[in-house]
Amino acid sequence: MSTPSPASSLNAARRARELAALSDGAEVDVLVVGLGATGAGAALDAAARGLSVAAIDAHDLAFGTSRWSSKLIHGGLRYLASAQLDVAHESAVERGILMERTAPHLVHAQPFVLPLTPLVPRAQAALARAGFRAGDLLRVSARTSRTTLPAPRTLSAVETRHMAPALRPTGLRGGLLSWDGRLTDDARLVTAVARTAAAHGARILTRVRALSLGGWGAAVRDELTGEELQIRARTVINATGVWAGGLVDDVRLRPSRGTHLVLRSEVLGGLSAGLHIPIPGETNRFVLVLPQGDGRVYVGLTDEPVDGDVPDVPEVPETDIGFLLDVLGSALDVSVGRADVVGAFAGLRPLLDTSGAGGPGRTADISRRHAVLTSGDGVITVVGGKLTTYRRMAQDAVDAAVTARGLPAGGCRTASLPLVGAARPDALAALDAPRRLVRRYGTEAPAVHALGLADPELARPVVPGHPVTGAELLWAVRHEGALDESDLLDRRTRIGLVPHDRKTALEAARGALATRVG
């Protein structure tokens, strides 16, 4: 059984010790602001190079966009269609790194079926088939094993309905089967990256808000106590995503809202694959239907421009819900109505505005390339990109910081550095723990499972019909930096995506927090 290294365990007591050391004037080589995927990745990259690192977030790990994704690690097929060949190749490479080297416990092959309904003309079907073949060539160019990602193929109508019984049989010609990378949970990936950074010496500090940034460091406030202090750093990396422009001038973003619905699994029957449902009138946009294996299915996503102030938690407009339900209805034989939507969430993509003054064009057409910008006083800002390429974004940001300040650091190591819990597939398969826990905790799954074996109360699910147990909540408090009920229910687990389930689980979350240890 793998027990967590104290060096990788995040908890309230460690946070207090490390924040106190910084308040006493200790200088670090790199201060990272923002602990989404890119910020946590930058903290890991810098710490793995031997630099001293502090990383802060005003809220929690994965509080922002990194927890609102489609939970997919894309291979770049979409970018091929828009001739962004460099972005497509980079995505395929990063997908392979996650699946085969750094996080094989968290990222797995996900089958998808594109049903060939009467709304999909044969010309569009041929284009999609060619696209999937091109996507497989991307896999080859990225040197990702065929064992990791099987080949795409054509399905008969019978095979298609066997994988997705909820599809309307009338006029169904068959389907196209393809494969992509799928995360067990995007917020869990961020947690694993942050804990791996901590194991390499990084100070990971949530509930610490940056008030202002400069080439010297940052003025910050401890959101738990209200105390204000300065963190001195030789260089600062601003990785705050859609909020980046609020800390550094001249960073122009065009946020795009991606909305997902949460349905109970029984609404759609026995889905054994995800679905790509073509959006009527579009040639290269689809609504995704993604079974989660926890009694829920996600349906998404939209791509709508957002103007005005950026909220901490984006609201889901009824227009987005109606749009997604309408697209579902175009392909399904079952009726899915508003009452079947038990939850919904929306994330804001931090797309880089390269249009000069900005314009009314669709955010769906904006490049997903990332950029590393340096302000006049030396603050490094990394913006744009997407979850799949977080590691490369972090590498480029740290490279820029090292060069700008002449920091004594070697090259990037993160392409071959396993995250906490990672192991080869055969080693993961041999672990003595439930498969669901292995997919969430990797080599630490037996230790999580042991908490339930020692206390049967902790082995019980905290919500009827949902698999998360009290042991997982306790583990999150002791080792994953969870400080309050929202950390537990909305990020370390995804119970909170369904408001009814969240309310049911509150007592268990409070019980776990009451047992926190240093």
Side-chain angles (χ1 to χ4, degrees):
M1 178 175 69
S2 174
T3 56
S5 162
S8 69
S9 290
L10 301 175
N11 50 52
R14 177 172 180 170
R15 175 191 180 276
R17 291 193 303 270
E18 295 187 337
L19 187 56
L22 290 172
S23 67
D24 287 341
E27 184 182 52
V28 295
D29 293 321
V30 179
L31 171 64
V32 180
V33 182
L35 280 167
T38 304
L44 172 57
D45 188 302
R49 299 190 198 202
L51 299 172
S52 59
V53 177
I56 64 173
D57 195 283
H59 300 286
D60 183 30
L61 304 176
F63 181 84
T65 304
S66 292
R67 64 168 158 147
W68 304 128
S69 77
S70 292
K71 318 297 180 277
L72 296 178
I73 299 297
H74 290 291
L77 179 58
R78 175 177 180 178
Y79 314 113
L80 276 184
S82 55
Q84 299 178 53
L85 302 183
D86 55 342
V87 179
H89 179 70
E90 181 178 85
S91 297
V93 169
E94 294 301 318
R95 177 183 63 183
I97 287 172
L98 280 162
M99 297 187 77
E100 297 186 337
R101 295 185 230 166
T102 63
H105 59 312
L106 294 175
V107 187
H108 310 275
Q110 172 68 41
F112 281 97
V113 173
L114 193 166
L116 301 179
T117 72
L119 293 177
V120 182
R122 294 186 183 277
Q124 184 180 357
L127 184 63
R129 190 178 289 109
F132 291 142
R133 286 197 294 266
D136 195 48
L137 291 177
L138 272 179
R139 175 199 61 77
V140 173
S141 72
R143 299 185 178 181
T144 302
S145 166
R146 169 71 75 215
T147 303
T148 301
L149 283 170
R153 67 183 181 90
T154 301
L155 302 172
S156 68
V158 171
E159 289 176 307
T160 301
R161 289 209 74 222
H162 178 74
M163 299 185 79
L167 289 170
R168 185 177 299 122
T170 306
L172 185 67
R173 307 191 305 274
L176 302 179
L177 177 66
S178 62
W179 298 78
D180 214 339
R182 180 266 183 88
L183 271 167
T184 299
D185 187 331
D186 47 7
R188 293 213 60 76
L189 174 66
V190 177
T191 300
V193 175
R195 289 185 59 206
T196 309
H200 282 79
R203 297 177 171 102
I204 304 296
L205 303 168
T206 60
R207 304 305 195 286
V208 177
R209 182 181 297 275
L211 304 176
S212 62
L213 306 181
W216 54 270
V220 306
R221 181 174 64 236
D222 181 350
E223 297 289 72
L224 298 184
T225 66
E227 178 187 0
E228 295 188 5
L229 61 140
Q230 293 185 343
I231 298 179
R232 296 172 56 239
R234 297 176 66 184
T235 189
V236 177
I237 295 176
N238 174 20
T240 53
V242 288
W243 296 277
L247 290 170
V248 175
D249 294 335
D250 298 326
V251 174
R252 293 195 309 272
L253 299 175
R254 291 195 60 199
S256 167
R257 184 181 64 247
T259 294
H260 292 79
L261 312 181
V262 184
L263 311 176
R264 300 289 189 192
S265 296
E266 57 266 23
V267 172
L268 298 182
L271 277 178
S272 60
L275 294 176
H276 287 126
I277 300 181
I279 296 174
E282 301 272 0
T283 58
N284 191 41
R285 289 187 62 207
F286 305 90
V287 162
L288 304 177
V289 180
L290 191 61
Q292 296 300 299
D294 62 359
R296 299 172 179 178
V297 175
Y298 299 158
V299 178
L301 72 170
T302 60
D303 200 333
E304 297 296 329
V306 175
D307 298 317
D309 294 336
V310 178
D312 283 346
V313 179
E315 294 185 1
V316 176
E318 285 294 326
T319 51
D320 283 9
I321 296 175
F323 166 78
L324 292 170
L325 290 176
D326 285 346
V327 176
L328 272 186
S330 72
L332 300 185
D333 200 32
V334 297
S335 177
V336 182
R338 183 63 179 82
D340 296 309
V341 180
V342 295
F345 59 93
L348 299 182
R349 306 175 185 89
L351 305 183
L352 184 64
D353 185 356
T354 58
S355 62
R362 302 194 322 170
T363 51
D365 298 327
I366 297 179
S367 171
R368 265 47 174 181
R369 290 182 176 90
H370 66 271
V372 177
L373 313 172
T374 303
S375 68
D377 58 358
V379 175
I380 307 295
T381 297
V382 55
V383 290
K386 52 199 178 298
L387 180 65
T388 301
T389 58
Y390 84 89
R391 191 206 63 81
R392 183 53 190 265
M393 294 170 66
Q395 175 184 339
D396 290 349
V398 175
D399 281 346
V402 167
T403 300
R405 296 298 190 188
L407 299 178
C412 176
R413 297 175 49 209
T414 54
S416 58
L417 189 64
L419 301 182
V420 166
R424 292 174 55 88
D426 56 346
L428 293 172
L431 292 172
D432 185 14
R435 292 303 92 189
R436 189 190 71 84
L437 292 182
V438 174
R439 283 178 171 256
R440 295 179 63 79
Y441 301 93
T443 58
E444 294 184 332
V448 180
H449 186 49
L451 292 175
L453 294 177
D455 183 351
E457 187 67 28
L458 292 176
R460 298 190 181 98
V462 298
V463 175
H466 196 276
V468 170
T469 67
E472 293 173 73
L473 300 184
L474 182 59
W475 183 269
V477 171
R478 291 183 175 177
H479 303 293
E480 295 180 343
L483 300 179
D484 66 14
E485 294 96 334
S486 294
D487 292 357
L488 288 172
L489 302 180
D490 300 334
R491 289 170 289 278
R492 302 308 180 277
T493 71
R494 307 318 291 271
I495 291 173
L497 289 178
V498 176
H500 175 270
D501 293 350
R502 192 184 197 281
K503 183 177 179 181
T504 303
L506 271 175
E507 183 177 352
R510 290 167 181 156
L513 290 163
T515 63
R516 66 173 51 141
V517 295

